[in-house]
Amino acid sequence: MAFTRRDVVTADGVLDTYLFAPGGGTPAPVVIMLPDAFGVRDTVLGMAQRLSGSGYLVAVPNIFYRTDEATTGSVSTDFSDPSLRAKMGDRFTRATPPAVMADLGSLLDALASEPGAVAGPAGIIGYCIGGRLAFTAATALGERIAAAASIHGGGLATDDPSSPYHQAGQIQGALYIAAARDDSHHTEADHARLLAALDEAKVDYEAEVLPALHGFAMPDFAVYDEAAAQRHWERSLALFDRTLRAPAAG
C-alpha cells in the first residue's frame, strides 16, 4: 500500500496519520477516515486506499495513539478475548470524544498546509466507535466539516446526556447514517430519536438501516456483508461528491 505518514503534534503527544493520495499530482478534497475499536490496521488502510481512488486525499489518524501503535498488518478482532476487551477499555478511557475532537482540530490545521489537499472544509467517515466520532465531529467542528458519514456507529442517540445527538443543532454539514439491523449499539429507539433530532435541527441528511449486522462494512469481521458494504460505499461517495467537489462551471 502506498501511503505517506504525517505526524501531527497534539496537546497529548504525536498523532500518527496515514495519507493516501489519489494520484496524478492534482490536489484533492480531504476525507478523514476513523477506524473502529480495533484501530488502524491493514483492513482500514485498504479501505482508505479504495476511497482515495475515487479522487480524495484520505487521512487515517491513529485515534488510539495515547495507548496503541497503529499497524500495517492484521489484528485480532475476537471481541470475546478478555485481554482484548480490557485493552479496548483502556483505549476508550483515554480516546474520549473531547480528546479526539481536539486531535481532529490539530489534524485539520496540519492538513491545511498539505500540498495535495484542496483548501476548504473536509469530509469524515467512521466505523463503529469511529462512526460516533465522525458524527460528533460534525457537531463539534462546525464549518470545518462539510460532510460526515457514520457507518454502523454506536451511541449516537442514547439516553446518555453525553450522546452526540443532543448537539444536532450545531451541525453545518451534510450527513449519511448507515445503521445495522438488530444493533444493540444503535437500537430502533435510538434511530428514531436520532432522526427526530436531525429533523428538528433541519440537518441535511440521509439515514437508513441496512439488512446486515453491526460491523458489516469491515472485511476482517465475520459479519462482513458484501451487499451492505457496497451500499455504504455508494452512498458515502455520493455524499462526498456532492459536498466536497466544486460544481462544474457553466
Side-chain angles (χ1 to χ4, degrees):
M1 260 176 280
F3 59 80
T4 301
R5 175 167 165 159
R6 177 79 180 262
D7 288 340
V8 178
V9 176
T10 74
D12 292 333
V14 177
L15 174 66
D16 49 312
T17 302
Y18 303 83
L19 300 181
F20 291 81
T26 302
V30 170
V31 175
I32 298 170
M33 179 176 284
L34 302 182
D36 56 26
F38 296 96
V40 177
R41 58 195 187 279
D42 57 356
T43 291
V44 175
L45 297 176
M47 293 166 71
Q49 185 172 48
R50 174 174 177 171
L51 180 56
S52 73
S54 294
Y56 296 97
L57 178 66
V58 182
V60 184
N62 175 20
I63 57 175
F64 302 124
Y65 72 96
R66 293 173 179 84
T67 53
D68 295 282
E69 294 182 356
T71 178
T72 55
S74 60
V75 301
S76 170
T77 56
D78 180 10
F79 194 67
S80 65
D81 180 349
S83 63
L84 183 58
R85 291 202 306 272
K87 185 176 182 179
M88 286 185 175
D90 188 31
R91 288 176 183 171
F92 301 159
T93 298
R94 299 185 65 184
T96 63
V100 175
M101 293 307 107
D103 293 341
L104 294 179
S106 296
L107 175 58
L108 289 170
D109 289 343
L111 291 176
S113 62
E114 185 68 32
V118 168
I124 189 167
I125 183 170
Y127 300 85
C128 302
I129 186 173
R132 173 175 176 159
L133 292 169
F135 182 94
T136 303
T139 71
L141 298 177
E143 63 185 11
R144 306 188 78 178
I145 300 296
S150 173
I151 313 303
H152 43 75
L156 301 183
T158 69
D159 293 330
D160 189 326
S162 68
S163 190
Y165 86 100
H166 289 295
Q167 305 302 319
Q170 303 301 314
I171 296 172
Q172 298 186 39
L175 302 181
Y176 169 59
I177 310 291
R181 68 172 176 84
D182 304 323
D183 189 351
S184 62
H185 303 284
H186 184 77
T187 66
E188 290 184 12
D190 293 342
H191 197 65
R193 187 183 294 119
L194 175 64
L195 300 193
L198 295 176
D199 286 338
E200 181 178 359
K202 296 181 171 54
V203 175
D204 176 4
Y205 77 93
E206 176 187 5
E208 56 186 350
V209 178
L210 298 180
L213 297 175
H214 182 86
F216 62 76
M218 311 308 294
D220 56 352
F221 283 7
V223 295
Y224 175 70
D225 185 289
E226 177 65 32
Q230 181 59 30
R231 172 69 178 179
H232 109 271
W233 281 117
E234 292 171 355
R235 300 317 303 156
S236 298
L237 282 170
L239 172 72
F240 296 142
D241 287 348
R242 175 168 67 88
T243 58
L244 299 179
R245 297 189 184 282

